[in-house]
């Protein structure tokens, strides 16, 4: 009798899961009593109509159960093709699913069974190929090691660097196919051969003069050649290569920005990490290597540190009084004014360096003095970009932002400094370049060439001649005053990312005048990866305060987008405004020599086309096409906004359903505990 009345819990087998031992009275009891007491039912049903519509609710519940039973076939059919290891089931459930699949295979004919078997084999082969290809991704294990020791923020920097390497590889393919290949293959004998003259020296590789100036590095090397058709010639291929680089870069950067923003929006204020899930379910029990276990331990630790940091700041910000908020906003206004004054002083310093470097009387100095004068603007820009971001970092620490917000604010101020300083330098180079110069495009390309070379040299020397000796002093003489003053080195993500954005912007701006800048960029980025890896692993210590890398990754690509817009503005400023004066933009070198311009070459190609094609092109480039284009954009954006609102409402409903489902589970657990206590009292 006691054995009969004792409570016995066991997991139902797959055959027993379809059979219920409850009587119809017990089902009616749960539908009328506990079903009405569930928090989800009470929240969805008004209090005043609960008793009036109880019968309709019960009937609706039974109909919903029947519908859910009918609709459950859809997911079952959908998951029947998935591998068993991917199904969110226990071992008993997977065994039952395996038996059901065997029965389904036996019930169908031979060809259907063969088709399903082949489909499963193809999926396994695709998964194996995908796993094999993922192992070929460059620096995969290095990135995992960096993430485990320094967090996801430092890893995001190296992922961003690898992305720039892929982007420059694409640029090199386009340049080789559109520009370098046709220019070399169809080059005529009327131009002087590329040889090393007696007047050339090793300094030419740093200054971009002499042999380098005559080589295929710069704009002047690419001539019209023997390929001289109306719509297939070297100038048009040159333009096609440059515009393909800009257009494809725009698509790729915008795509990465939007995908990252969508991920950040999902993990923004609506994101709430379950700490218990991270602690109890975040470990991978298949790990057997001690190194991998230490890395996984580092992942979880850094994620928890980030969560606690954000929660602490949110609590402190919520407890601010009105007076504290007013004082904080006044302090931020004053600090922003100080930031603007620092930016103004930096821009004047760049103007002074540019004017000094472009003077005509600099050629009579010693070669070392001439070299320093030639590199005076890059040195000044590098000095400003090295000092001011650290000042901005100190300023943001007084503004009482969260650590992630401090990083993003410092990034915004610093990127404005970097891009604005580069823009001012380009403007001064454009305005001070002589119009009667032999090849002013080569002169502008040399400035971009020197900026790229010096930026790479600054990165290299700062690590091996400053950071590494500083680390050696701290290790050799840890108690010395110099070691205490220098302090521990930490990998400052904003400043390192700014260097990457700056170098890529220089590459985009100068690719028209120096087509091999992407090749130089790939070499410098690959070397920079290993230099920065050595700096992080050997010289730096982990940051005490973590920040979420997803939002900063969006900011990284947004800054790249600004650099791309700056490239387009530079090309437009260098070509279109000069059309106001006849012949002023005609170049004396390169593919557009002999009074030819970008507009005359494209115009000649359009005139050689058939009449319907000319009419279509003129209509697409006229003002009459603007109205239907704007209307189509409005309809397109309206549809996307409507879909976004509908999806947002659906997401909110699903979130409410998840919350109420957890409430129902807690309620049922409490009811079960109450029933057990009552039964124990009776006994």
């Amino acid at each position: 009798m006691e054995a009969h009345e004792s409570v016995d819990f066991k997991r139902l087998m797959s055959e027993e899961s379809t059979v219920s031992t409850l009587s119809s009275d017990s089902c009616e009891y749960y539908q009328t009593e506990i079903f009405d007491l569930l928090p989800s039912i009470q929240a969805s049903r008004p209090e005043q109509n609960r008793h009036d519509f109880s019968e309709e609710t019960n009937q609706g519940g039974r109909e919903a159960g029947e519908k859910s039973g009918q609709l459950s076939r859809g997911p079952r059919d959908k998951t029947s093709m998935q591998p068993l290891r991917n199904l969110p089931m226990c071992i008993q459930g997977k065994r039952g699913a395996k038996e059901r699949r065997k029965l389904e295979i036996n019930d169908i004919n031979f060809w259907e069974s063969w088709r399903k078997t082949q489909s499963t084999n193809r999926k396994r082969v695709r998964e194996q190929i995908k796993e094999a290809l993922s192992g070929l991704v460059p620096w995969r294990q290095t990135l995992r090691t960096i993430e485990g020791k320094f967090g996801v923020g430092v890893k995001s920097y190296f992922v961003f660097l690898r992305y720039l390497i892929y982007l420059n590889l694409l640029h090199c393919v386009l340049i080789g196919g559109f520009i370098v290949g046709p220019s070399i293959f169809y080059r005529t004998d009327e131009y002087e051969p590329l040889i090393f003259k007696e007047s050339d020296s090793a300094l030419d590789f740093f200054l971009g003069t002499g042999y380098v100036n005559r080589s295929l590095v710069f704009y002047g090397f690419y001539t019209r050649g023997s390929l001289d058709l109306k719509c297939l010639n070297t100038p048009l291929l040159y333009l096609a290569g440059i515009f393909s680089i800009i257009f494809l870069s725009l698509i790729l950067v915008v795509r990465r920005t939007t995908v990252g923003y969508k991920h950040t929006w999902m993990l923004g204020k609506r994101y709430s990490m379950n700490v218990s899930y991270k602690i109890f379910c975040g470990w991978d029990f298949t790990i057997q290597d001690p190194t991998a276990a230490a890395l996984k331990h580092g992942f979880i630790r850094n994620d928890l540190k980030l969560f606690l940091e954000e929660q602490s700041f949110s609590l402190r910000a919520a407890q601010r009084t009105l007076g504290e908020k007013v004082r904080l906003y006044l302090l931020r206004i004053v600090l922003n004014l100080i930031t603007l004054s620092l930016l103004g002083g930096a821009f004047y310093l760049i103007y002074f360096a540019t004017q000094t470097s472009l003077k005509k009387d600099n050629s009579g100095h010693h070669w070392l003095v001439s070299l320093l004068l030639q590199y005076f603007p890059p040195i000044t820009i590098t000095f400003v970009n090295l000092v001011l971001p650290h000042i901005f970092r100190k300023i943001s620490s007084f503004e009482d932002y969260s650590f992630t917000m401090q990083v993003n604010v410092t990034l915004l101020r610093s990127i404005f400094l970097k891009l604005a300083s580069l823009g001012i330098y380009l403007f001064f180079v454009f305005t001070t370049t002589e119009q009667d110069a032999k090849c002013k495009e080569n002169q502008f390309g040399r400035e971009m060439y020197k900026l790229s070379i010096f930026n790479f040299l600054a990165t290299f020397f700062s690590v091996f001649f400053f950071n590494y000796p500083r680390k050696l002093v701290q290790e050799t003489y840890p108690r010395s005053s110099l070691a205490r003053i220098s302090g521990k080195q930490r990998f400052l993500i904003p400043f390192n990312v700014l260097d990457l954005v700056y170098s890529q912007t220089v590459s985009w701006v100068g690719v028209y005048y120096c087509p091999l800048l992407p090749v130089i960029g790939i070499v410098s980025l690959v070397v920079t990866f290993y230099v920065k890896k050595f700096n992080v692993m050997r010289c730096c210590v982990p940051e005490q305060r973590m920040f979420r890398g997803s939002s900063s990754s969006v900011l990284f690509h947004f800054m790249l987008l600004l650099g791309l817009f700056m490239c387009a503005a530079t090309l437009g400023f260098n070509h279109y405004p000069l059309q106001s004066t006849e012949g002023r933009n005609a170049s004396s070198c390169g593919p557009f020599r002999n009074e030819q311009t970008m507009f005359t070459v494209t115009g000649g190609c359009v005139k050689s086309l058939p009449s319907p094609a000319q009419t279509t092109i003129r209509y697409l480039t006229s003002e009459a096409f603007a109205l239907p284009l704007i209307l189509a954009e409005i309809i397109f954006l309206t549809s996307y906004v409507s879909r976004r609102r509908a999806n947002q409402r659906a997401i909110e409903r699903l979130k409410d359903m998840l919350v109420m489902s957890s409430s129902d589970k807690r309620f049922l657990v409490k009811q079960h505990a109450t029933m057990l206590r009552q039964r124990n009292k009776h006994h």
Side-chain angles (χ1 to χ4, degrees):
M1 185 68 182
E2 292 178 0
H4 177 71
E5 294 178 353
S6 63
V7 180
D8 186 15
F9 294 96
K10 66 177 182 178
R11 185 183 299 274
L12 293 176
M13 303 297 291
S14 59
E15 293 81 10
E16 298 173 348
S17 61
T18 57
V19 181
S20 177
T21 58
L22 296 175
S23 62
S24 59
D25 297 336
S26 61
C27 292
E28 185 68 24
Y29 170 77
Y30 279 106
Q31 289 179 354
T32 56
E33 299 294 337
I34 297 181
F35 185 77
D36 290 337
L37 296 177
L38 290 176
S40 59
I41 301 302
Q42 293 181 2
S44 62
R45 185 187 306 163
E47 184 71 25
Q48 62 271 19
N49 297 331
R50 182 181 303 169
H51 301 287
D52 297 337
F53 298 98
S54 59
E55 295 180 359
E56 296 179 7
T57 305
N58 296 334
Q59 182 179 359
R62 288 191 292 269
E63 293 176 358
E66 295 175 0
K67 291 181 180 180
S68 64
Q70 296 175 359
L71 294 175
S72 61
R73 297 177 183 175
R76 186 182 299 117
D77 294 336
K78 185 177 180 180
T79 59
S80 62
M81 299 302 295
Q82 296 182 4
L84 292 176
R85 62 181 179 180
N86 295 338
L87 296 179
M89 297 180 180
C90 61
I91 297 298
Q92 298 294 340
K94 290 182 178 180
R95 290 175 181 173
K98 185 177 181 180
E99 295 295 332
R100 286 195 299 271
R101 291 185 181 183
K102 290 182 179 180
L103 293 176
E104 291 177 359
I105 293 176
N106 294 331
D107 292 340
I108 61 179
N109 55 21
F110 171 78
W111 292 109
E112 189 68 21
S113 175
W114 180 83
R115 188 181 63 82
K116 286 191 174 184
T117 303
Q118 294 299 319
S119 176
T120 304
N121 293 334
R122 285 194 299 269
K123 288 185 177 180
R124 289 178 180 176
V125 171
R126 283 196 295 266
E127 289 180 358
Q128 293 175 358
I129 294 175
K130 186 177 180 181
E131 292 178 0
L133 292 177
S134 63
L136 299 177
V137 176
W139 307 305
R140 182 183 181 185
Q141 186 59 34
T142 301
L143 295 178
R144 290 181 59 85
T145 304
I146 293 174
E147 182 182 5
K149 292 184 178 181
F150 296 91
V152 68
V154 179
K155 177 194 172 184
S156 64
Y157 164 80
F158 288 93
V159 172
F160 184 63
L161 195 153
R162 185 178 63 182
Y163 171 72
L164 292 182
I165 293 176
Y166 294 158
L167 194 63
N168 282 274
L169 280 174
L170 177 62
H171 295 169
C172 291
V173 172
L174 295 175
I175 289 173
F178 283 96
I179 299 176
V180 178
S183 298
I184 295 177
F185 187 76
Y186 292 102
R187 188 176 179 86
T188 58
D189 297 334
E190 60 179 299
Y191 302 100
E192 60 177 341
L194 185 61
I195 58 175
F196 198 83
K197 298 181 179 180
E198 295 181 357
S199 59
D200 300 332
S201 63
L203 288 178
D204 295 337
F205 293 95
F206 294 95
L207 297 177
T209 56
Y211 177 81
V212 179
N213 186 46
R214 300 189 304 270
S215 66
L216 48 82
V217 175
F218 290 109
Y219 174 88
F221 174 83
Y222 301 94
T223 57
R224 193 174 184 92
S226 60
L227 185 63
D228 197 10
L229 301 177
K230 281 293 185 180
C231 288
L232 185 60
N233 49 60
T234 305
L236 283 179
L237 290 177
Y238 195 94
L239 289 178
I242 299 300
F243 286 124
S244 298
I245 289 174
I246 297 175
F247 184 69
L248 290 179
S249 299
L250 178 63
I251 293 176
L252 294 175
V253 175
V254 168
R255 179 181 177 275
R256 291 289 292 261
T257 305
T258 53
V259 171
Y261 177 75
K262 181 169 61 176
H263 181 68
T264 305
W265 182 82
M266 294 175 63
L267 298 181
K269 295 181 179 179
R270 302 167 180 82
Y271 174 74
S272 179
M273 186 182 72
N274 193 342
V275 182
S276 61
Y277 174 79
K278 276 291 180 184
I279 295 175
F280 297 107
C281 303
W283 186 257
D284 187 1
F285 289 94
T286 61
I287 295 177
Q288 298 180 359
D289 186 18
T291 305
L295 290 176
K296 186 65 177 179
H297 183 270
F299 297 162
I300 299 174
R301 181 185 65 250
N302 292 332
D303 206 352
L304 292 177
K305 286 172 63 178
L306 171 61
F307 174 75
L308 294 176
E309 175 73 24
E310 292 178 347
Q311 292 297 317
S312 176
F313 176 79
S314 300
L315 181 62
R316 188 173 69 254
Q319 294 176 351
R320 291 173 185 164
T321 61
L322 180 60
E324 292 176 348
K325 292 181 179 180
V326 172
R327 288 193 296 270
L328 180 61
Y329 291 147
L330 291 177
L331 178 62
R332 289 176 179 175
I333 292 174
V334 173
L335 293 177
N336 282 310
L337 292 177
I338 295 174
T339 302
L340 291 176
S341 62
L342 291 174
L343 290 173
F347 297 155
Y348 177 78
L349 188 61
I350 294 171
Y351 166 75
F352 174 76
T354 306
Q355 294 294 328
T356 304
S357 176
L358 296 177
K359 286 182 179 179
K360 296 182 179 180
D361 54 352
N362 291 335
S363 58
H365 299 288
H366 189 264
W367 68 269
L368 183 59
V369 178
S370 300
L371 180 64
L372 291 177
L373 288 175
Q374 289 289 329
Y375 273 91
F376 190 36
I379 291 173
T380 305
I381 294 175
T382 303
F383 174 76
V384 168
N385 293 332
L386 181 64
V387 175
L388 285 188
H390 289 277
I391 300 177
F392 294 158
R393 178 169 168 263
K394 292 295 182 182
I395 290 175
S396 64
S397 64
F398 291 103
E399 292 177 321
D400 198 11
Y401 291 119
S402 64
F403 186 66
T404 303
M405 189 63 181
Q406 288 182 22
V407 172
N408 293 335
V409 169
T410 306
L411 276 173
L412 287 175
R413 290 170 177 169
S414 302
I415 194 57
F416 178 76
L417 168 68
K418 293 245 180 184
L419 295 182
S421 61
L422 181 60
I424 290 175
Y425 176 62
L426 295 178
F427 175 77
F428 291 146
V429 170
F430 276 132
T431 54
T432 55
T433 301
E434 299 180 5
Q435 296 296 331
D436 55 349
K438 184 177 181 181
C439 188
K440 58 180 182 295
E441 287 83 2
N442 273 20
Q443 183 177 352
F444 184 80
R446 282 197 298 271
E447 300 300 327
M448 298 296 101
Y449 177 83
K450 289 187 291 186
L451 284 176
S452 300
I453 295 296
F454 189 79
N455 188 45
F456 168 71
L457 293 178
T459 301
F460 183 84
F461 283 103
S462 65
V463 172
F464 290 102
F465 290 89
F466 180 74
N467 293 340
Y468 186 57
R470 177 182 169 188
K471 183 65 175 179
L472 291 179
V473 169
Q474 293 176 354
E475 291 178 349
T476 308
Y477 307 102
R479 298 183 180 180
S480 63
S481 58
L482 182 61
R484 289 196 300 268
I485 292 174
S486 59
K488 295 181 179 180
Q489 300 183 52
R490 290 180 173 84
F491 190 79
L492 301 177
I493 302 171
F495 309 143
N496 289 279
V497 170
L498 287 174
D499 292 336
L500 294 180
V501 174
Y502 174 74
S503 62
Q504 186 59 42
T505 303
V506 170
S507 177
W508 276 331
V509 171
V511 69
Y512 179 81
Y513 312 95
C514 183
L516 292 191
L517 268 184
V519 179
I520 301 173
I522 289 177
V523 176
S524 63
L525 286 174
V526 171
V527 177
T528 299
F529 186 94
Y530 289 102
V531 170
K532 291 297 182 180
K533 175 190 172 184
F534 173 81
N535 185 31
V536 169
M537 305 298 292
R538 182 66 180 86
C539 305
C540 297
V541 296
E543 183 69 57
Q544 297 297 324
R545 302 173 65 189
M546 296 292 170
F547 77 102
R548 194 172 299 280
S550 57
S551 59
S552 297
S553 179
V554 176
L555 194 57
F556 297 166
H557 293 90
F558 178 73
M559 291 187 295
L560 268 185
L561 197 60
L562 293 179
L564 193 59
F565 288 155
M566 186 175 181
C567 167
T570 304
L571 288 177
F573 179 80
N574 195 23
H575 286 85
Y576 186 75
L578 299 178
Q579 283 291 96
S580 57
T581 304
E582 183 67 25
R584 281 189 63 187
N585 67 333
S587 176
S588 60
C589 61
F592 299 102
R593 65 178 65 195
N594 300 327
E595 302 299 327
Q596 288 186 343
T597 63
M598 179 176 64
F599 301 97
T600 57
V601 172
T602 54
C605 176
V606 172
K607 291 179 181 179
S608 65
L609 296 176
S611 179
Q614 294 185 30
T615 305
T616 303
I617 293 176
R618 291 194 182 97
Y619 174 72
L620 293 177
T621 56
S622 64
E623 294 83 358
F625 182 68
L627 181 59
L629 181 63
I630 293 174
L631 291 177
E633 290 179 353
I634 292 174
I635 295 173
F636 185 75
L637 293 176
T638 303
S639 63
Y640 266 88
V641 169
S642 302
R643 289 175 56 184
R644 175 186 172 274
R645 292 177 179 175
N647 292 335
Q648 186 175 359
R649 288 193 295 267
I651 289 172
E652 295 298 330
R653 286 197 298 267
L654 291 174
K655 289 180 180 178
D656 293 338
M657 291 173 62
L658 289 175
V659 172
M660 299 311 299
S661 176
S662 61
S663 301
D664 292 344
K665 292 177 182 178
R666 288 194 295 268
F667 173 77
L668 292 175
V669 169
K670 291 180 180 179
Q671 289 293 111
H672 182 263
T674 303
M675 292 172 59
L676 289 179
R677 285 195 298 269
Q678 292 177 356
R679 179 173 296 182
N680 292 332
K681 289 180 181 179
H682 290 304
H683 292 297

